[in-house]
Amino acid sequence: MTAVVGDAAVGAAEWQLCAHCRSLVYRKRLQRNRSVCPECGRHERLTARERVRQLFDAGSATPLDFQVDPGDPLGFVDTRPYPERIRSAQRKTGLAEAVLCVRGTIGGSPLVAAVMDFDFMGGSLGTAVGELVTRAAEHALDRRIPLLLVTASGGARMQEGALALMQMAKTSQALAELDEAGILTVSLITDPTFGGVAASYATLCDVIVIEPGARLGFAGPRVIEQTIGHVLPTGLQTAEFLLDHGMVDMVCPRAALPATLARILSFGVRDRAERPSGARTAPLVHDGGELAAGSPWETVQQARDPHRPTTLDYIHAMLEDFEELHGDRLASDCTSVVGGLGRLDDVPLVVIGNQKGHTATELAACNFGMATPAGYRKAARLMRLAAKLRLPLLTLVDTPGAYPGPEAEEQGQAVAIADSLRIMTRLPVPVVAVVTGEGGSGGALAIAVANRVLAFSNAVYSVISPEGCAAILWKDAAQAPRAAEALRLETRHLLALGIIDGVIPEPEGGAQADPALAAERLGHAVKSTLDELSGLDARQLIAERRLRFRSFGTLPPA
């Protein structure tokens, strides 16, 4: 291609026209920028080999020479015989098929990768591609290291008929085996990823990363238009749309991919030998008599103070390498529940918490910490990830309760909470819950079925808000202070009832007066509690947790 600027012809060898913003970009500058347009940020397609060079540590990538041959099972001929199309794609790309399998490291973490190349027959999923992806998964399983799938596909390969269709089940089965073995799987979605690839291994991974502007969907725009006569709205199926609708964990620019993937993959390392033990002493109070008696209503106001640290404040102060994960993989990404992977004193863990905010704008954006069904489904997804990777789970509770709106009822609020409760009863990992502010009703308990439940000294935990209790029982919301006292929602009473196991003393003036010290004390308490639980195996952890909750309300023998 030759571009014309004024009267001067500029060779395509030196300049490239951006298909999005129509800017002429110096080709070497584009290459230095990882094939991302410096004017508009459009991510151009990469070949499989380019992708490997950009992602893997220098010199670490070793091709996995899996020998496969798609053959010509149907004797398919359109305008050209199928074998001729295969040979043409091989000459064009230098690949035997539409996926390149390699083993190597990213940020020092070992992994196996299957990287698709759209230039090979549109990255279509045929028997050879399915076989290569499956063998890559089996190789990762054999070596107990993470699997990375980089996808780019227009869908299943029509020239192989129903045999191509079967690859969706075959590859999904391979990922299920990695799930059963506790092997981390990561998907990197690039543009475009459609059809059978999108509806199988691309979206079955533990963590789904997508490049800006990349499109992902079952039916491509052309198929939708030709089948039902609808033109897709602008932005549908794009990375940003998918993030908002809970389908992916993060949109990551290409320049940040190596570091981001390195952090994620590091949580798939099986060796925990470096884990320190007993490095911190917890400032926990176990006797309610040591806690000062105050006004229950004033404690409620303290717990609700918008200046108190939020879950994300605590996470960023306590944890290293935190990677937030998004979405319920169904319809939404609830902003009032946050979570992801992080490290506390080099101990990898999964963290989930209610998120509020400090300003009126932040509080409204987070729905005042009231989770929707999507929030509980996101939490459940992260709980299952903790169980799969055998990572401890930390939950930070700070909510007035689950969102009670009509939309939540339509989307199954009660079912989502019940499912979360059940999942937590059978998690085979240490679970620590901390009430950092408000612990309101079933919305709080949904993420607090733990081996150990702690609370900050100014936190509250109750079956209902004081206002709600007053309105129902006294028919007068103004009786909330009276209800607060009757509900015994303070930590000294919660300790006596066995609802919580320990209290974290807050700094003078409350956690909001010294957020850094509050976070330090929280980190000490969580680390000490995890050390205490580290000697229990999966069966013991489940049995102890179930016994803890089984005992509530048990009457002594007659």
Side-chain angles (χ1 to χ4, degrees):
M1 178 184 80
T2 300
V4 178
V5 181
D7 295 327
V10 183
E14 296 184 7
W15 296 86
Q16 182 167 321
L17 186 69
C18 175
H20 183 257
C21 69
R22 312 304 292 175
S23 297
L24 275 173
V25 183
Y26 189 48
R27 191 176 294 273
K28 288 185 178 179
R29 183 187 180 196
L30 188 65
Q31 291 171 347
R32 286 195 300 270
N33 206 40
R34 298 175 181 264
S35 295
V36 177
C37 176
E39 303 299 328
C40 70
R42 173 185 168 87
H43 284 54
E44 301 289 344
R45 288 179 190 152
L46 296 176
T47 67
R49 289 194 175 92
E50 288 172 332
R51 184 72 65 177
V52 169
R53 283 196 295 270
Q54 287 192 12
L55 293 179
F56 278 70
D57 297 336
S60 74
T62 301
L64 297 172
D65 191 21
F66 300 136
Q67 297 297 317
V68 297
D69 181 4
D72 184 14
L74 306 185
F76 198 97
V77 180
D78 43 58
T79 58
R80 299 163 62 191
Y82 178 44
E84 186 179 319
R85 287 192 178 276
I86 291 288
R87 288 192 293 271
S88 177
Q90 289 172 337
R91 289 192 297 269
K92 178 182 180 181
T93 64
L95 298 176
E97 252 297 344
V99 63
L100 174 64
C101 298
V102 298
R103 184 178 69 244
T105 61
I106 296 179
S109 291
L111 74 151
V112 174
V115 184
M116 301 191 74
D117 196 318
F118 193 81
D119 285 345
F120 196 110
M121 295 187 67
S124 50
L125 174 60
T127 55
V129 170
E131 181 67 16
L132 288 167
V133 170
T134 299
R135 290 195 192 181
E138 291 169 345
H139 195 77
L141 179 61
D142 289 342
R143 283 151 184 78
R144 313 289 295 182
I145 57 177
L147 173 69
L148 171 66
L149 300 171
V150 184
T151 63
S153 176
R157 189 169 296 177
M158 294 174 288
Q159 292 89 344
E160 296 184 21
L163 283 171
L165 183 67
M166 295 302 110
Q167 304 311 305
M168 295 172 63
K170 176 179 176 177
T171 54
S172 298
Q173 178 176 287
L175 262 69
E177 292 175 2
L178 292 178
D179 288 340
E180 293 163 0
I183 305 298
L184 176 67
T185 56
V186 181
S187 178
L188 171 56
I189 308 295
T190 75
D191 187 64
T193 297
F194 285 116
V197 171
S200 59
Y201 55 88
T203 52
L204 286 177
C205 291
D206 299 313
V207 180
I208 302 178
V209 183
I210 188 168
E211 287 192 328
R215 295 165 295 161
L216 167 72
F218 180 57
R222 187 187 308 173
V223 172
I224 292 172
E225 185 172 355
Q226 291 179 352
T227 304
I228 63 174
H230 286 185
V231 177
L232 289 183
T234 301
L236 194 74
Q237 298 181 318
T238 63
E240 296 72 20
F241 173 91
L242 295 163
L243 181 64
D244 288 342
H245 288 78
M247 304 299 177
V248 300
D249 285 293
M250 64 191 73
V251 178
C252 186
R254 192 170 288 167
L257 278 172
T260 299
L261 290 174
R263 284 192 299 273
I264 296 169
L265 291 166
S266 70
F267 291 96
V269 176
R270 310 301 297 180
D271 183 15
R272 313 284 190 219
E274 79 286 356
R275 175 181 295 188
S277 180
R280 293 177 160 184
T281 302
L284 286 173
V285 175
H286 298 283
D287 182 357
E290 298 179 24
L291 300 171
S295 163
W297 184 240
E298 288 180 4
T299 303
V300 171
Q301 302 311 305
Q302 277 268 19
R304 293 174 175 173
D305 191 323
H307 297 100
R308 287 178 74 85
T310 66
T311 287
L312 285 177
D313 291 335
Y314 284 125
I315 284 174
H316 291 303
M318 287 194 315
L319 304 185
E320 298 176 346
D321 298 331
F322 176 66
E323 201 65 54
E324 185 174 357
L325 304 180
H326 292 268
D328 66 348
R329 294 289 194 274
L330 182 63
S332 182
D333 181 41
C334 176
T335 54
S336 53
V337 174
V338 296
L341 298 159
R343 283 186 171 79
L344 176 62
D345 278 356
D346 291 330
V347 177
L349 52 76
V350 172
V351 59
I352 302 166
N354 304 114
Q355 177 66 11
K356 286 184 176 177
H358 299 296
T359 67
T361 300
E362 291 172 350
L363 285 163
C366 294
N367 204 30
F368 298 89
M370 295 184 292
T372 64
Y376 294 112
R377 287 193 292 263
K378 174 164 65 172
R381 184 172 76 83
L382 295 177
M383 292 171 190
R384 293 187 183 99
L385 179 60
K388 172 181 172 176
L389 299 181
R390 292 296 192 266
L391 297 179
L393 174 64
L394 167 64
T395 67
L396 302 178
V397 179
D398 186 16
T399 178
Y403 180 59
E407 306 94 337
E409 294 301 320
E410 292 170 358
Q411 296 161 16
Q413 184 71 287
V415 175
I417 291 172
D419 188 48
S420 184
L421 293 170
R422 179 169 58 182
I423 290 169
M424 295 197 81
T425 66
R426 57 193 186 201
L427 290 175
V429 297
V431 183
V432 177
V434 183
V435 184
T436 62
E438 284 186 280
S441 191
L445 181 62
I447 61 169
V449 182
N451 292 93
R452 298 288 185 275
V453 181
L454 311 178
F456 272 110
S457 52
N458 287 323
V460 295
Y461 199 2
S462 177
V463 67
I464 192 171
S465 70
E467 294 89 342
C469 178
I472 293 171
L473 298 183
W474 281 276
K475 314 299 183 188
D476 181 5
Q479 295 295 319
R482 182 179 176 187
E485 184 169 357
L487 286 167
R488 301 291 191 264
L489 42 64
E490 301 162 279
T491 52
R492 60 192 181 95
H493 295 300
L494 297 170
L495 267 178
L497 293 169
I499 302 298
I500 61 176
D501 302 297
V503 175
I504 306 168
E506 296 187 26
E508 186 71 27
Q512 63 272 32
D514 193 341
L517 180 56
E520 180 181 342
R521 290 181 178 179
L522 175 61
H524 279 246
V526 172
K527 180 59 172 59
S528 177
T529 306
L530 287 176
D531 284 344
E532 177 189 334
L533 296 170
S534 64
L536 303 180
D537 61 26
R539 186 175 60 179
Q540 291 170 319
L541 288 165
I542 293 170
E544 186 202 66
R545 192 181 314 128
R546 290 180 176 178
L547 181 61
R548 183 185 191 280
F549 286 88
R550 174 66 179 84
S551 67
F552 290 127
T554 303
L555 297 175

